[in-house]
Amino acid sequence: EAEYGPTFFDVRHNLVASASYELPIGSGRAIGSDWNTLTDALLGGWRVSGIFQARTGVPVTIIDGRNRSLQGERGFERPNCVGNWKPSDQSITKWLDINGFAMAPLGTFGDCPVGSARAPGYWNVDMMLGKKFNLASSARYFEFRVEAFNLFNHPNMGPPARDISAPNTFGLITTTIGAPRVIELVVKAYF
């Protein structure tokens, strides 16, 4: 029963929304249906799409690396929970409050459950702007796209340090999840 708790990949809330919109500009559209070929090639055939992702943080299991149970190395031992893990002034330099945990008495196992704290949440926006260039028929065309992954270059923080036997780093977040902004230029031929 002491090992019962949320798994490390338990995400309570997860939202993914995507949209794609072809602008009503160009040949056969509401705007520019009477344009000549050159004007249509420059201004028509644009499309925009995007994906938004947001989710809550994953569980964090607090550990104590001092082997208080005297059982030898049996994986990670946990401390006792004595208060709230979440500090009132929570930040990346103090995500967990060490005062919410205490070293278990010698020869015992701590009572903090698995996944007793949570890591920061995650959000990201990917966008694409594309232009279609028709060739001899509508079945054959080129597409030019600009794709931006992590459009806002938002840093998504990783889990905090969780070992109470290292008080200088406990609760400190030093990693990020995902990549920084990446922009790609793409040319595709459809035939």
Side-chain angles (χ1 to χ4, degrees), residues 133-174:
F133 296 94
N134 288 324
L135 296 175
S137 68
S138 60
R140 294 183 179 145
Y141 59 93
F142 281 99
E143 184 180 27
F144 172 73
R145 294 194 315 223
V146 177
E147 299 172 339
F149 303 96
N150 192 2
L151 178 67
F152 299 109
N153 204 25
H154 176 260
N156 289 294
M157 307 316 290
R162 61 195 180 114
D163 189 346
I164 68 164
S165 69
N168 292 338
T169 59
F170 182 81
L172 180 65
I173 296 176
T174 58

Side-chain angles (χ1 to χ4, degrees), residues 17-20 48-52 125-128:
S18 63
S20 184
V48 63
S49 62
I51 300 172
F52 171 74
V125 176
D126 298 331
M127 293 290 294
M128 185 279 299

Side-chain angles (χ1 to χ4, degrees), residues 10 17 19 23 26 55 59 71 74-75 98 109 115 121 125 137 139 141 148 155 161 170 177 179 187 189:
D10 176 54
L23 299 175
R55 62 181 174 254
Q71 298 293 311
R74 298 179 51 135
I98 199 165
F109 290 101
V125 176
S137 68
Y141 59 93
F170 182 81
I177 306 169
V187 175

Side-chain angles (χ1 to χ4, degrees), residues 9-102:
F9 55 85
D10 176 54
V11 174
R12 295 295 167 102
H13 306 285
N14 188 27
L15 170 69
V16 178
S18 63
S20 184
Y21 182 67
E22 192 166 331
L23 299 175
I25 301 171
S27 179
R29 308 276 193 268
I31 301 169
S33 61
D34 59 345
W35 287 346
N36 63 41
T37 307
L38 180 60
T39 305
D40 183 52
L42 294 174
L43 302 177
W46 288 93
R47 183 171 54 106
V48 63
S49 62
I51 300 172
F52 171 74
Q53 302 174 61
R55 62 181 174 254
T56 53
V58 295
V60 174
T61 300
I62 308 305
I63 61 171
D64 187 347
R66 290 175 278 219
N67 189 25
R68 299 295 294 172
S69 71
L70 304 175
Q71 298 293 311
E73 288 300 318
R74 298 179 51 135
F76 294 117
E77 294 186 13
R78 296 188 296 274
N80 285 330
C81 286
V82 295
N84 189 0
W85 66 268
K86 190 173 185 178
S88 59
D89 58 342
Q90 192 176 44
S91 67
I92 63 170
T93 58
K94 188 178 180 185
W95 192 259
L96 303 170
D97 187 355
I98 199 165
N99 297 318
F101 309 96

